[in-house]
Amino acid sequence: MSKTFTSHQVRQTFVDYFKKQGHTSVPSSSLIPENDPTLLFANAGMNQFKNTFIGVEKRDYNRAVSVQKCVRAGGKHNDLENVGFTARHHTFFEMLGNFSFGNYFKKDAIHFAWELLTKDYGIPKEKLYITVFETDDEAADIWHKQEGVPKDRIFRLKEDNFWRMGDVGPCGPSTEIFFDHGPKAGRESDPFKGIVSGEDRFVEIWNLVFMQFYEKSPGVMDPLPKPSVDTGSGLERVTAALQGKFNNYDTDLFAPMIEKACKISGVDYVTDLEVLKKNSSIAEKTAALRVLADHSRAAGFLIADGALPSNEGRGYVLRRILRRAIRFGHKLNSQKSIMPGMVDSLIEHMGTAYPELKQRREHVLSTVRDEEERFLVTLDQGTQILNDELKTSLSRGQKILPGEVVFKLYDTYGFPADLTQVIAHEQGLKIDEQGFEKHMDEARHKAKASWKGQSVASDEKHLLELSQKVKQKSGATEFTGYDHMSASAQVLALSDGQQEVKELKAGEKGFVILNTSPFYAEGGGQIGDQGQLNGEHAVHASIFNTTQQNSVYLHHLEMTQGVLKAGDKVQVQVSTPDRRNTMANHSATHLMHAALRKVLGTHVGQAGSVVDPTRLRFDFTHNKAMTSEEIDKVEQLVNEQIGQALNVEAQVMPHKKALESGAMALFGEKYGDQVRVLRMGDFSTELCGGTHVTNTSQIRVFKIISETGVSSGVRRIEAVTGDVGIRYLMGGLQDSLSARKVSGLPSSLNDIMTSGGNELAHFIEKKKEEIKNFEKEIKKIQGSQINIDELAAKAAKFTSRSGVAGKLLTLSLDLDDRDVLAQVTDHLKNKIQSGIVVVVGKGEQSHPIIVSVSKDLTGDHKAGDLLKEIASIMGGKGGGRPDFAQGAAPQREKLPEAFEKIQAQFKLN
């Protein structure tokens, strides 16, 4: 290849080529899919075009090109255990793709791919091989006759060359392009055998799917009237080919993160295959660096797109990725924080291609730092407990770690199951996955046991297919709710939640789809409208929620009288008081968002919201609690805008024009080519499809009732407006008038307790923060008052088994704080230079134990072994590294016996 491409050039060359071929460049969608319950994360370029391919969404173009952010780390695409240990497994990757929606087909798709690869990228034709579906003579002929590919380089396959969207839907044959990395990359020289066996030498770099059939049922297919094309080419694989790298991790896509990790950890990145084969220690470090590089990419992009670490769903996948990376980083260097620096390097490297990384930099980094701090608190302790359990299992001849233990580590110490699996695998054991899942299910059941709410038991797939069917036949639901609260409508379809039905009777719950509706469908944080449905012949139903699938509105209802049938004409009425209160809360949310950015800074961004008739809840990115002064300022700014009676104006315009006009777009939200811009004077301008007041004066009043933390780097405000806000303030006023001052309390606290509202909560938060700071100062003072020189002088000399001269110091201190004890131990070790320091503190029920060994003595005396001896005598346990270990024990009265046994191991001078 005559030209070397950077990864940025590979990406841009792909987009530029297809733009020249009449394709519209479409930005990557968020990694968090919108309105697609079948997906955990975006995992292919076609995800955002799915509804276009199946005919329920129309676009103003029929050719598209995109570079899609993808994550595969859950469900059937769970590659996590292989990441870092193979050349091409990743959690995060970029998918280059070109698409035809009923426009061009096989001839053009094949020509485009071949021309781009061999001319624009300059890949030699002799480096490429082709596969086609076994009966797709048309594609094979195009490759040979049109593009001149020799027949002996075209292979017919069955299993891997036919694509289906699902059990029912578009499907068709595919053709794949493979790149030959050469004999150094694999043993198999026969390309057909290499491709079939998955030999690393021959790597798929592009897959072209030809959607030419519609599968009505398994094996029953009809030709599509307008066949389409969906292609996917992995940027990482193409970049490796163009940069002459066999391993994706050795390309410039990963180099900045790996270089940063090497600099922080002091570890070298070795890529020589012969060295890696011969030296397992070096191979482990190289794998760890690759894991960190991959996971820093996945974590950075997921957090930027709105995911947050948690113990459920997407948040749990993110937490698994982060904690797996943190553990590998801890193994490289237990004293340095590696992950945040790598994510910062990612932001710098890819922030131009993906501006959301730079826009949310502080939030991303604070989330990573916080998760690392949380996990490291329990990592050593959890690892020790796990190692003890593993030894117990091995001593009993068991090869499987019980699910109960795996769950305990997850529930108590934050160990994701697959991290436990990695550590167990290193000891030659497997984990009881079924047992773990059983305990997880029991925990979920307990968490949900107290929850009750009105709903319809429904099949998500059925509702998705029903909405698609209705949209194909009658189009999207016409929403009239911006201007009207009632409407005359026709019933297009009915469902009992499990299947489509012709009628719903009194006492039954279900869904009704109408041709037009004033009911707002849940979205953008605003709840779905409630109201009434009335029809002829005394038909009456209560609508208790409204949602949507594919722009088709699903009205959740309970029949109270009569029989509702498909095709009926009905009258529907939104609950006016609820809607008006919801509009006030939604508009106040916009004003508060703008106020927060003015008071706290422009780093503030929406991380989630709920708007209903009673209150508003707003989650936002900020890494510390707001002060009472900041809360007061936000309230003041919002109420000023309410008092100014600003007109609220909505305007529909092109997405690009809206952003250029200063409108704020929210992360995680999907916007079409035309967007609705909501403006409140010069104070707030946002993209929003929700319902709002027409003038800010209709909000009447705004009051924050709580400000709390949700997760790392995310705060939550709850507030009230309108009637609820007035009642809240009146209640607070009445309380303050009748409140009595408490004797003996400072006057300032009495003032706070009798002022109503949330002043007391602010006061307590402030005092808690002050107490934390005092505690930190006390710890410093405690440590600084200990005479290190005096204590170090008590150390006794000894000679180790290998002849190294050292000193042993055993101490009992009346301190409970581990941080202070660890600091003292460290100072003492540095003072005696070569030696062993054992310190036992004094707690209320359990007493901390810390052992530190200088590096030159760890060959003969390991800190973890010494600690276990002491802890076992005192009825406790613990563990750690060869140079540092910690634990705890309850029986302090046995301390002299423990020290005597340790001292007896050394020939003390």
Side-chain angles (χ1 to χ4, degrees):
M1 286 171 278
S2 58
K3 182 181 177 181
T4 301
F5 286 77
T6 65
S7 55
H8 293 304
Q9 290 170 334
V10 177
R11 189 188 296 112
Q12 195 58 49
T13 298
F14 188 92
V15 174
D16 289 345
Y17 173 84
F18 282 101
K19 284 171 71 175
K20 290 177 185 176
Q21 310 305 326
H23 291 61
T24 297
S25 178
V26 181
S28 171
S29 67
S30 169
L31 284 168
I32 314 298
E34 193 214 16
N35 292 331
D36 191 343
T38 65
L39 274 182
L40 192 64
F41 299 112
N43 60 19
M46 66 83 62
N47 290 158
Q48 67 171 315
F49 303 114
K50 181 178 175 181
N51 286 341
T52 307
F53 279 123
I54 62 179
V56 297
E57 180 182 341
K58 299 294 183 184
R59 297 182 181 241
D60 58 8
Y61 51 84
N62 51 27
R63 295 183 175 199
V65 59
S66 72
V67 183
Q68 175 64 45
K69 299 176 291 187
C70 298
V71 164
R72 291 183 183 175
K76 69 176 182 178
H77 293 301
N78 189 358
D79 291 338
L80 206 54
E81 69 223 34
N82 295 318
V83 171
F85 295 90
T86 69
R88 280 171 284 281
H89 275 100
H90 306 294
T91 53
F92 172 87
F93 60 97
E94 295 173 79
M95 186 65 81
L96 309 167
N98 60 290
F99 309 90
S100 164
F101 312 117
N103 185 254
Y104 62 82
F105 200 44
K106 292 182 184 180
K107 283 188 176 183
D108 285 335
I110 289 172
H111 174 71
F112 292 154
W114 193 248
E115 183 175 67
L116 175 57
L117 290 176
T118 60
K119 292 185 179 179
D120 291 61
Y121 286 144
I123 297 176
K125 295 179 181 179
E126 60 271 18
K127 282 277 190 181
L128 302 173
Y129 292 89
I130 309 298
T131 66
V132 298
F133 186 58
E134 61 178 356
T135 60
D136 193 357
D137 297 333
E138 181 185 7
D141 285 345
I142 293 170
W143 279 115
H144 176 59
K145 296 177 181 178
Q146 177 180 288
E147 304 304 330
V149 178
K151 288 185 176 181
D152 62 359
R153 302 181 79 85
I154 303 171
F155 307 121
R156 293 175 182 261
L157 302 178
K158 182 177 181 180
E159 297 300 325
D160 294 331
N161 283 83
F162 197 91
W163 178 90
R164 289 176 170 85
M165 186 175 286
D167 294 335
V168 174
C171 61
S174 69
T175 181
E176 296 173 321
I177 304 171
F178 284 78
F179 178 83
D180 180 3
H181 276 281
K184 288 185 178 181
R187 299 176 182 175
E188 183 57 67
S189 59
D190 184 311
F192 177 74
K193 291 180 180 178
I195 289 170
V196 171
S197 65
E199 168 68 54
D200 279 344
R201 172 176 173 173
F202 303 96
V203 177
E204 177 205 330
I205 59 171
W206 207 336
N207 184 21
L208 286 64
V209 175
F210 305 124
M211 298 185 195
Q212 63 185 95
F213 303 109
Y214 189 91
E215 194 162 24
K216 297 187 292 185
S217 59
V220 180
M221 304 179 199
D222 290 333
L224 286 170
K226 289 187 176 182
S228 297
V229 174
D230 159 29
T231 86
S233 175
L235 174 67
E236 291 75 13
R237 296 184 176 198
V238 175
T239 301
L242 292 173
Q243 293 182 0
K245 305 292 185 182
F246 162 67
N247 195 302
N248 292 356
Y249 290 98
D250 298 339
T251 67
D252 68 346
L253 281 163
F254 297 87
M257 283 72 76
I258 291 176
E259 288 169 6
K260 175 67 75 172
C262 291
K263 185 177 180 181
I264 296 172
S265 67
V267 172
D268 292 329
Y269 179 55
V270 179
T271 61
D272 188 298
L273 291 176
E274 293 303 316
V275 174
L276 296 177
K277 288 177 183 177
K278 293 176 182 177
N279 193 313
S280 61
S281 176
I282 292 176
E284 285 179 8
K285 291 174 182 176
T286 293
L289 289 167
R290 288 169 175 171
V291 168
L292 283 159
D294 173 273
H295 289 9
S296 64
R297 284 167 31 110
F301 275 99
L302 281 170
I303 297 167
D305 274 359
L308 289 169
S310 71
N311 285 338
E312 289 292 335
R314 296 181 178 112
Y316 181 51
V317 176
L318 172 58
R319 173 158 283 167
R320 287 165 54 207
I321 291 170
L322 276 168
R323 295 195 167 187
R324 186 171 187 260
I326 292 164
R327 193 248 177 182
F328 274 101
H330 196 64
K331 288 182 71 176
L332 286 179
N333 189 320
S334 62
Q335 305 300 316
K336 297 289 181 69
S337 171
I338 298 176
M339 193 66 172
M342 294 185 73
V343 174
D344 199 18
S345 178
L346 162 78
I347 294 170
E348 184 64 30
H349 178 57
M350 298 189 73
T352 302
Y354 297 98
E356 62 268 25
L357 288 172
K358 287 187 174 179
Q359 291 166 3
R360 306 201 84 192
R361 178 178 179 273
E362 290 306 319
H363 169 61
V364 171
L365 292 177
S366 66
T367 302
V368 173
R369 288 191 199 101
D370 188 80
E371 185 67 12
E372 183 176 61
E373 288 171 6
R374 288 168 186 252
F375 187 44
L376 288 178
V377 168
T378 59
L379 178 59
D380 285 336
Q381 191 175 3
T383 301
Q384 182 56 48
I385 290 171
L386 174 56
N387 286 335
D388 289 345
E389 294 287 352
L390 291 171
K391 287 180 181 177
T392 300
S393 295
L394 286 169
S395 66
R396 295 172 178 171
Q398 299 171 346
K399 292 293 183 180
I400 297 178
L401 189 68
E404 182 181 1
V405 174
V406 180
F407 177 75
K408 178 185 175 184
L409 286 163
Y410 160 80
D411 194 44
T412 307
Y413 298 100
F415 273 48
D418 47 6
L419 178 54
T420 301
Q421 187 176 37
V422 168
I423 299 173
H425 180 72
E426 292 171 354
Q427 301 284 342
L429 275 80
K430 295 180 180 180
I431 67 170
D432 176 11
E433 295 185 45
Q434 288 186 338
F436 169 71
E437 287 300 331
K438 179 185 175 184
H439 282 85
M440 284 290 290
D441 288 340
E442 289 173 358
R444 292 188 190 105
H445 180 72
K446 289 177 183 177
K448 293 178 180 178
S450 62
W451 183 90
K452 291 181 180 179
Q454 188 176 20
S455 64
V456 182
S458 60
D459 182 332
E460 196 73 41
K461 184 180 178 183
H462 153 64
L463 293 177
L464 184 62
E465 291 174 351
L466 178 61
S467 65
Q468 290 172 354
K469 175 183 172 182
V470 171
K471 187 170 182 179
Q472 287 173 327
K473 184 178 179 180
S474 306
T477 304
E478 179 190 5
F479 176 59
T480 60
Y482 291 135
D483 304 309
H484 304 284
M485 297 278 198
S486 62
S488 299
Q490 183 176 14
V491 177
L492 298 180
L494 292 165
S495 168
D496 64 2
Q498 303 299 320
Q499 59 186 352
E500 186 176 3
V501 295
K502 294 182 179 179
E503 60 184 33
L504 288 172
K505 300 175 183 178
E508 295 180 340
K509 290 182 180 180
F511 300 85
V512 60
I513 298 176
L514 307 172
N515 64 328
T516 184
S517 176
F519 284 70
Y520 181 80
E522 180 182 319
Q526 181 175 331
I527 69 163
D529 276 333
Q530 300 181 4
Q532 305 295 321
L533 177 148
N534 294 291
E536 298 175 352
H537 311 298
V539 170
H540 181 76
S542 293
I543 296 174
F544 55 85
N545 194 15
T546 310
T547 57
Q548 64 169 307
Q549 292 275 17
N550 298 313
S551 301
V552 172
Y553 285 28
L554 300 167
H555 303 79
H556 306 224
L557 83 171
E558 181 174 10
M559 294 296 299
T560 55
Q561 188 174 318
V563 179
L564 181 64
K565 298 180 179 180
D568 281 358
K569 298 288 180 66
V570 295
Q571 296 288 323
V572 288
Q573 172 68 51
V574 175
S575 171
T576 304
D578 286 343
R579 166 69 85 78
R580 284 178 177 164
N581 288 332
T582 301
M583 291 193 300
N585 284 330
H586 201 160
S587 297
T589 301
H590 283 226
L591 293 175
M592 183 180 68
H593 189 185
L596 284 167
R597 290 171 65 86
K598 291 180 187 295
V599 173
L600 302 179
T602 54
H603 67 278
V604 168
Q606 180 173 327
S609 70
V610 175
V611 178
D612 64 29
T614 60
R615 50 100 203 224
L616 66 91
R617 191 183 81 197
F618 187 75
D619 296 345
F620 60 98
T621 53
H622 189 56
N623 57 11
K624 60 182 177 181
M626 292 176 67
T627 64
S628 57
E629 291 80 8
E630 289 169 339
I631 291 173
D632 290 343
K633 184 62 177 175
V634 169
E635 283 185 345
Q636 178 187 339
L637 282 171
V638 174
N639 282 305
E640 282 177 0
Q641 310 314 308
I642 294 171
Q644 289 178 24
L646 303 173
N647 286 330
V648 178
E649 301 170 345
Q651 184 181 0
V652 176
M653 63 178 70
H655 184 247
K656 185 177 181 181
K657 182 180 177 182
L659 296 181
E660 290 171 351
S661 72
M664 185 161 43
L666 304 180
F667 283 96
E669 293 293 326
K670 181 181 178 182
Y671 299 104
D673 296 329
Q674 295 290 314
V675 294
R676 186 168 179 259
V677 180
L678 200 81
R679 188 182 300 276
M680 301 181 190
D682 295 326
F683 192 77
S684 169
T685 305
E686 286 191 27
L687 306 186
C688 184
T691 60
H692 290 267
V693 298
T694 57
N695 187 285
T696 58
S697 63
Q698 295 166 352
I699 301 171
R700 299 169 71 193
V701 69
F702 171 80
K703 180 65 182 174
I704 294 174
I705 58 175
S706 70
E707 192 274 345
T708 57
V710 178
S711 61
S712 56
V714 178
R715 306 296 299 176
R716 170 173 292 170
I717 281 178
E718 294 198 42
V720 289
T721 69
D723 293 339
V724 178
I726 291 171
R727 287 199 299 273
Y728 179 86
L729 291 171
M730 289 178 68
L733 180 61
Q734 290 162 0
D735 289 343
S736 68
L737 288 173
S738 61
R740 296 180 180 177
K741 294 198 174 187
V742 182
S743 73
L745 287 178
S747 60
S748 59
L749 184 53
N750 267 309
D751 291 341
I752 289 168
M753 292 184 69
T754 58
S755 65
N758 56 353
E759 287 302 310
L760 182 58
H762 298 331
F763 175 81
I764 292 171
E765 283 292 324
K766 186 177 180 181
K767 292 305 172 187
K768 283 167 67 178
E769 193 67 31
E770 289 177 5
I771 289 168
K772 280 184 183 178
N773 292 332
F774 283 139
E775 287 175 342
K776 289 179 182 177
E777 290 301 318
I778 289 169
K779 288 178 186 178
K780 290 179 182 177
I781 293 169
Q782 287 176 326
S784 64
Q785 287 182 338
I786 292 174
N787 191 321
I788 298 297
D789 291 335
E790 186 179 313
L791 292 176
K794 297 178 180 180
K797 295 180 181 179
F798 70 91
T799 302
S800 73
R801 289 189 291 271
S802 58
V804 179
K807 293 180 180 180
L808 173 67
L809 182 60
T810 54
L811 290 172
S812 170
L813 297 174
D814 289 343
L815 291 174
D816 187 26
D817 189 279
R818 284 181 180 272
D819 291 339
V820 175
L821 289 170
Q823 188 180 57
V824 170
T825 306
D826 198 42
H827 287 327
L828 287 168
K829 185 180 70 173
N830 292 338
K831 188 68 179 177
I832 64 177
Q833 294 183 347
S834 177
I836 299 169
V837 179
V838 179
V839 176
V840 178
K842 186 176 183 180
E844 292 183 8
Q845 295 179 341
S846 183
H847 312 287
I849 308 169
I850 294 179
V851 179
S852 185
V853 180
S854 59
K855 296 282 187 183
D856 59 333
L857 290 169
T858 54
D860 293 327
H861 307 284
K862 292 181 170 49
D865 294 340
L866 293 170
L867 185 136
K868 285 175 189 174
E869 285 191 58
I870 297 169
S872 63
I873 293 171
M874 296 174 64
K877 58 182 177 179
R881 306 187 304 271
D883 63 326
F884 182 85
Q886 58 181 329
Q891 300 171 25
R892 205 170 194 275
E893 66 274 11
K894 293 187 176 181
L895 179 58
E897 179 188 343
F899 277 177
E900 187 177 333
K901 184 172 182 181
I902 291 298
Q903 292 164 355
Q905 296 182 25
F906 299 88
K907 294 180 180 179
L908 301 176
N909 301 329

